[in-house]
């Protein structure tokens, strides 16, 4: 599975913002519904809180795609 980097300019990104930023959902209002009907793994653990903070190095798997969070400059 190919890993897609998600570059952030802050210390963290929330799961809801990640879903929007990576174009998995089109707006933030869809996050709660999406997370209740789709499995999202963060570092191998199922996560459904849209406010979950992810930091550089976190690995996210959603809809059979893999993403790595990277802080700018790393």
């Amino acid at each position: 599975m190919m890993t897609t980097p998600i570059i952030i300019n802050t210390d963290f990104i929330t799961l809801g913002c990640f879903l929007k930023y990576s174009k998995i959902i089109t707006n933030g209002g869809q996050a709660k519904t999406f997370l209740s009907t789709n499995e999202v793994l963060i570092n191998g653990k199922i996560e459904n809180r849209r406010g979950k903070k992810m930091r550089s190095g976190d690995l996210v798997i959603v809809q059979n795609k893999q993403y790595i969070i990277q802080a700018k400059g790393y």
Side-chain angles (χ1 to χ4, degrees), residues 1-2 6 15 18-19 22-25 34-35 37-42 47 54 59-67:
M1 183 181 314
M2 188 176 125
I6 299 294
L15 179 53
F18 161 82
L19 292 171
S22 59
K23 296 182 173 53
I24 295 170
I25 60 174
F34 180 87
L35 291 170
T37 59
N38 293 274
E39 186 174 90
V40 176
L41 297 173
I42 299 176
E47 185 58 66
M54 299 181 295
L59 184 67
V60 183
I61 299 175
V62 59
Q63 295 183 325
N64 295 318
K65 294 182 182 172
Q66 187 167 284
Y67 303 86

Side-chain angles (χ1 to χ4, degrees), residues 8-30:
I8 59 173
N9 296 318
T10 56
D11 291 338
F12 65 87
I13 186 170
T14 64
L15 179 53
C17 289
F18 161 82
L19 292 171
K20 191 169 122 183
Y21 180 76
S22 59
K23 296 182 173 53
I24 295 170
I25 60 174
T26 56
N27 63 61
Q30 295 174 326

